[in-house]
């Protein structure tokens, strides 16, 4: 009798939705009504028999919503004006599937609003509510085949016809479906409370825990892994004033590394709780590329009277949908609408950002994302690339690295790049090494803005770009860096001869000061233009350069030889915590020089630099001089706290690039050092231990025959690790 009463009651509430859409009707909100609460347990006790409750053979991949889509589903159950605008803009990007009980009425309504019927398919299927995001199918790609499939769950509302939509759509499209809907796999969930990054990270509020209290958190994680491939499931506290606890009401992934997060005025409404959740997420999790998430903030709009929840409904701009090149964003007639759209445009350059007024819908706790459900594309090409965020202007090139996968196989991949406001891109073919594609953008001058994107084509002739909207949108980084070069012109610092000292810099400093000292009588020259000064020497000079208030060069230039038409300049650099003593040098004349560094008291010799390049690690330098040379002896203060000595571990690898044979030189140190060479997947191909007694000699390394590509070299001691790279060609 209880079930009969439940069924009769439910049919009473659901039948209204099979009236013509033009007729007045009660609209089911996103939350559970009081009537539904009364019948919910009966509904749970009599769930329909699912089609397939076994998970896929291997964990699939749940794509991010920002990846390529082929279609979007809307259920025409309410809010006809808003759905018409969604269809108007979505049909240019994807096929629109409209679930309706009255196709002719919807067709006429669209046509009357000047919406063509192009790229639209009407589906006559039963339904209860408009909130297809929550009950619609989740797209996944099956492991090993990239075959598109649907995942279904137990919808957390007593709306049985809504709950059948995923199975109906799977049959309509001929796709396999896997349902978390029975026994140990019976998971109650909702689509508005889940998002994925496409790399196995999933995000939800802790509603997923409270609605599945019969499971442990570990059991829920296992179900999500088996059915969706989510290996890292991030769950955040529910918000006090979000009456549905759906994540899409205040958070959204714009790509695998960018989080769009709603922001209330400080201390208002759910603001403090959102900030706490965001802090938890950023403190404990990183992107798929092991980097911090890029967080973009967007305001939460108040009501027309200026109120926020709980005195008003949520007005969220994060409840948007990304459909290939089109992004549909809810707006509310608020003074903040323009700001929100501008934030999207800045965060997603090249995308078509469209605002649709959802003020009439938001009172039911939903907006655009809630009334739509995207379907992922067939034959996906997945490009995993950690975009270049910064580059130093003295780098020879900028490595673009990507993992590109497709079941059919990748035919070719390219990097397209340009500088500044150039209209056209230059093309670089990417080279496949094991499972990674590489290309190298040439090094550029200081402050150059470099733009680029990746394009990949599979053997079926399908091409996908990253970012998706390229070339309309692309990645951009600026070549920057601090002062790196300090030279004298001419190189010879000769008594009575004017010398022009040049500073080459990248980031524009606020102030540069030069200090020329002769004993206790320093002279100061401050410049802002090309950062160069002319000074006539009278012998050995102490030269100090202050760059934006920091002393970055402190050298003692000494004329040591002026025979046979050449001059050698020796200066002294200290890397300790106090100023170094100049030291002494023994110089023998002739083209072949032998120079001996004799440290001052409490100072230890580190290395020689010739013409600003690390050269030799023995205190005796043998060098042939044909032209002017700048020779630097570098010392460390061994009495200082070693932890305060800047960059005490120094190494040099040359030649680099090389063919697998090279030399490693090391500066003196006080601990045993381990040198490890690995490929980009972390596989060790060479490893050796070097005791401190051997650091001052050169080490020849023979790697043998190995594939060309990029290799990582790591030097580690008991308290310090430094890494670099070797290019094998």
């Amino acid at each position: 009798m209880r079930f009969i009463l439940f069924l009769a009651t439910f049919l009473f509430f659901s039948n209204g939705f099979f009236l013509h859409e033009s007729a007045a009707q009660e609209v089911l909100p996103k939350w559970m009504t009081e009537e539904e609460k009364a019948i919910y347990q009966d509904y749970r006790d009599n769930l329909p028999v699912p089609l397939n409750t076994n998970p896929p053979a291997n964990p699939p991949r749940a794509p991010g919503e920002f990846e390529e889509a082929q279609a979007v589903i809307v259920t025409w159950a309410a809010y006809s004006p808003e759905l018409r605008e969604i269809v108007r803009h979505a049909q240019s990007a994807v096929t629109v599937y409209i679930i309706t009980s009255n196709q002719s009425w919807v067709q006429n309504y669209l046509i009357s609003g000047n919406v063509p019927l192009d790229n639209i398919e009407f589906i006559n299927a039963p339904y209860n509510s408009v909130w297809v995001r929550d009950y619609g199918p989740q797209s996944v790609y099956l492991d090993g085949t990239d075959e598109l499939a649907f995942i279904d769950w137990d919808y957390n509302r007593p709306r049985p016809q809504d709950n059948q939509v995923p199975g109906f759509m799977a049959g309509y499209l001929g796709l396999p479906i896997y349902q978390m809907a029975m026994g140990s796999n019976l998971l109650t969930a909702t689509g508005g409370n889940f998002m994925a990054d496409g790399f196995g990270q999933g995000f939800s509020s802790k509603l997923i825990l409270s609605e599945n209290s019969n499971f442990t958190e570990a059991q829920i994680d296992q179900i999500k892994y088996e059915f969706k491939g989510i290996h890292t499931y991030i769950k955040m506290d529910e918000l006090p004033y979000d009456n549905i606890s759906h994540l899409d009401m205040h958070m959204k992934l714009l790509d695998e590394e960018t989080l769009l997060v709603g922001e209330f005025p400080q201390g208002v409404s759910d603001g403090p709780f959102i900030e706490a959740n965001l802090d938890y997420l950023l403190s404990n999790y990183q992107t798929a590329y092991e980097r911090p998430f890029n967080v973009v903030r967007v305001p939460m709009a108040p009501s027309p009277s200026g109120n926020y929840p709980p005195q008003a409904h949520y007005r969220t701009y994060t409840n948007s949908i990304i459909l290939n090149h089109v992004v549909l964003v809810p707006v509310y007639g608020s003074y903040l609408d323009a700001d929100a759209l501008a934030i999207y445009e800045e965060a997603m350059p090249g995308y078509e950002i469209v605002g649709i007024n959802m003020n009439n819908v938001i009172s039911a706790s939903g907006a655009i994302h809630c009334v739509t459900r995207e379907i992922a594309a067939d034959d996906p090409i997945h490009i995993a690339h950690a975009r270049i965020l910064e580059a130093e202007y003295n780098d020879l090139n900028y490595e673009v690295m990507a993992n590109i996968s497709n079941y059919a196989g990748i035919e070719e991949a390219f990097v397209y790049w340009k500088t500044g406001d150039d209209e056209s891109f230059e093309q670089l073919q990417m080279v496949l090494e094991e499972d990674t594609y590489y290309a190298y953008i040439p090094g550029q001058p200081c402050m150059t803005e470099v733009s680029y994107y990746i394009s990949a084509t599979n053997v079926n002739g399908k091409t996908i770009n990253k970012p998706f909207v390229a070339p309309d949108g692309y990645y951009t980084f600026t070549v920057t860096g601090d002062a790196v070069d300090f030279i004298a012109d001419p190189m010879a610092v000769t008594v009575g001869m004017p010398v022009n000292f040049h500073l080459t810099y990248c980031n524009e400093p606020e102030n540069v000061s030069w200090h020329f000292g002769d004993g206790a009588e320093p002279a100061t020259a401050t410049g802002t233009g090309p950062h160069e000064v002319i000074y006539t020497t009278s012998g050995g000079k102490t030269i100090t350069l202050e760059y934006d208030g920091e002393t970055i060069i402190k050298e003692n230039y000494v004329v040591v030889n002026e025979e046979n038409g050449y001059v050698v300049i020796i200066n002294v650099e200290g890397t300790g915590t106090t100023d170094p003593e100049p030291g002494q040098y023994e110089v023998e004349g002739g083209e072949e020089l032998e120079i001996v560094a004799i440290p001052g008291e409490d100072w230890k010799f580190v290395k020689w630099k010739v013409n600003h390049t690390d050269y030799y690690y023995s205190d005796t330098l043998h060098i042939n001089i044909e032209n002017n040379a700048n020779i630097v002896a570098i010392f460390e203060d061994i009495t200082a706290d070693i932890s305060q000595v800047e960059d005490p571990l120094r190494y040099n690898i040359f030649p680099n690039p090389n063919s697998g044979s090279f030399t490693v030189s090391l500066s003196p140190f006080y601990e045993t050092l381990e040198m490890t060479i690995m490929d980009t997947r972390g596989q060790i191909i060479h490893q050796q231990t070097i005791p401190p007694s051997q650091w001052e000699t050169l080490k020849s390394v023979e790697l043998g025959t190995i594939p060309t590509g990029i290799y990582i070299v790591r030097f580690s001691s008991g308290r310090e690790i430094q890494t670099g790279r070797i290019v094998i060609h």
Side-chain angles (χ1 to χ4, degrees), residues 278-480:
L278 182 59
D279 181 67
Y280 163 76
L281 192 159
L282 299 179
S283 299
N284 293 277
Y285 300 96
Q286 293 184 307
T287 72
Y289 310 128
E290 297 183 349
R291 306 193 300 198
F293 282 96
N294 173 38
V295 178
V296 177
R297 304 309 298 265
V298 65
M300 303 291 279
S303 69
S305 58
N307 292 321
Y308 291 96
Q311 285 76 33
H313 302 297
Y314 255 77
R315 283 173 171 80
T316 169
Y317 297 107
T318 64
N319 202 265
S320 60
I321 187 169
I322 304 169
L323 298 172
N324 295 335
H325 66 281
V326 173
V327 185
L328 306 181
V329 181
V331 294
Y332 307 99
S334 169
Y335 69 95
L336 292 173
D337 289 350
D339 291 344
L341 295 177
I343 288 169
Y344 270 91
E345 289 173 353
E346 183 177 357
M348 305 182 74
Y351 285 81
E352 180 184 350
I353 310 298
V354 180
I356 297 177
N357 195 309
M358 301 298 285
N359 202 46
N360 186 46
V361 183
I362 198 64
S363 60
S365 293
I368 294 176
H369 196 250
C370 298
V371 299
T372 56
R373 163 61 77 172
E374 72 285 344
I375 299 176
D378 291 317
D379 193 21
I381 299 175
H382 190 222
I383 303 176
H385 166 65
R387 62 179 296 182
I388 300 174
L389 301 176
E390 58 185 9
E392 295 288 338
Y393 86 98
N394 55 339
D395 287 346
L396 297 178
N397 53 55
Y398 316 119
E399 180 184 75
V400 182
M401 180 175 65
N403 293 103
I404 306 174
S405 59
N406 173 260
Y407 178 70
I410 300 299
E411 182 72 23
E412 58 185 3
F414 297 95
V415 169
Y416 293 87
W417 70 281
K418 67 175 184 176
T419 59
D421 296 326
D422 291 349
E423 295 183 1
S424 60
F425 286 86
E426 296 187 46
Q427 184 188 75
L428 295 171
Q429 183 154 15
M430 302 191 81
V431 177
L432 177 63
E433 299 175 5
E434 296 186 358
D435 61 348
T436 304
Y437 286 82
Y438 296 90
Y440 298 89
I441 298 174
Q444 299 297 314
C446 172
M447 301 309 295
T448 300
E449 186 178 78
V450 180
S451 301
Y452 75 98
Y453 67 93
I454 297 172
S455 181
T457 302
N458 70 2
V459 296
N460 297 328
K462 180 178 182 177
T463 298
I464 289 295
N465 296 330
K466 191 173 182 68
F468 183 85
V469 294
D472 294 329
Y474 37 78
Y475 300 129
T476 299
F477 62 91
T478 302
V479 179
T480 61

Side-chain angles (χ1 to χ4, degrees), residues 15-33:
N15 281 345
F17 284 87
F18 293 97
L19 300 173
H20 287 187
E21 278 78 2
S22 58
Q25 57 188 279
E26 180 184 0
V27 175
L28 286 175
K30 289 203 74 177
W31 63 80
M32 196 183 307
T33 66

Side-chain angles (χ1 to χ4, degrees), residues 153-176:
W153 50 86
D154 171 39
Y155 180 33
N156 65 348
R157 300 287 182 264
R159 301 170 186 176
Q161 292 166 335
D162 284 350
N163 211 15
Q164 297 299 309
V165 167
F168 187 92
M169 290 301 301
Y172 181 84
L173 298 173
L175 297 176

Side-chain angles (χ1 to χ4, degrees), residues 161 208 212 232 272 326 420 489 504 561 612 619 623 652 694 705:
Q161 292 166 335
I208 191 67
N212 294 278
T232 303
V326 173
D489 182 22
T504 303
N561 196 299
H612 309 286
D619 57 4
I623 187 169
N652 191 33
Q694 298 180 15
T705 303

